[in-house]
Amino acid sequence: MVDHSAAREKLLEGRERLVHQLSQLGANESGDLRRDLDFSEGFADAAATTAERTEVLGIVDSLKTRLDQVDACLARIEDGTYGVCSACGTRIPPERMEARPISRRCVRCKSARG
C-alpha cells in the first residue's frame, strides 16, 4: 500500500520547487508572466527578444503542467484515490508510485493507452 503521508510530503516539496522555478521566471502559480518583465533589455534585435520570450513561455507552460499534476495528486490523496488506477480501478504498486508519484494509471493501463 502507498504511504500517503510520505507521498504528500514528497509532492509538497516538489510543488514548492515548481512554484519557486515559476517565480524565478517571472510567473505566478497560474503560469501568468508578470507584466513588468522586459525581454528587450540587452538584445540586439526583435527576433532575439521574440525567441527568448517564446523559450520562457515554453518553460513556464511545462512547469505549470507539472504543477497541475502535483495539485491533482494532492487532491487524490485527500479524496482517497491516490494510488488507484484511474482507468481500471486497481491499486497501483507502491514501487511505481514511489518512482513516479504523479502516476494516474497502472503500468498495464498506461501501456495500453500510451
Side-chain angles (χ1 to χ4, degrees):
M1 182 156 219
V2 177
D3 180 350
H4 288 163
S5 178
R8 179 184 291 112
E9 184 176 320
K10 188 174 184 177
L11 288 163
L12 287 171
E13 288 171 2
R15 186 182 197 290
E16 187 175 316
R17 280 191 305 274
L18 291 167
V19 169
H20 178 71
Q21 289 172 325
L22 283 166
S23 176
Q24 286 183 315
L25 291 169
N28 61 24
E29 288 185 35
S30 299
D32 298 326
L33 291 177
R34 290 191 329 255
R35 296 203 183 276
D36 64 340
L37 288 180
D38 183 9
F39 287 93
S40 62
E41 186 176 324
F43 288 104
D45 59 25
T49 301
T50 300
E52 177 72 12
R53 181 171 176 80
T54 300
E55 182 178 351
V56 169
L57 289 173
I59 295 169
V60 166
D61 187 51
S62 177
L63 291 170
K64 175 61 176 133
T65 297
R66 289 175 34 207
L67 183 61
D68 290 345
Q69 291 170 335
V70 168
D71 286 343
C73 289
L74 291 167
R76 287 195 304 277
I77 288 173
E78 293 304 314
D79 70 18
T81 60
Y82 183 78
V84 176
C85 179
S86 63
C88 71
T90 62
R91 292 253 172 229
I92 301 171
E95 300 81 16
R96 176 163 170 78
M97 296 307 296
E98 177 68 28
R100 192 168 191 281
I102 61 169
S103 295
R104 292 180 34 235
R105 295 188 197 119
C106 65
V107 172
R108 185 177 50 126
C109 290
K110 178 65 177 168
S111 296
R113 292 188 77 181

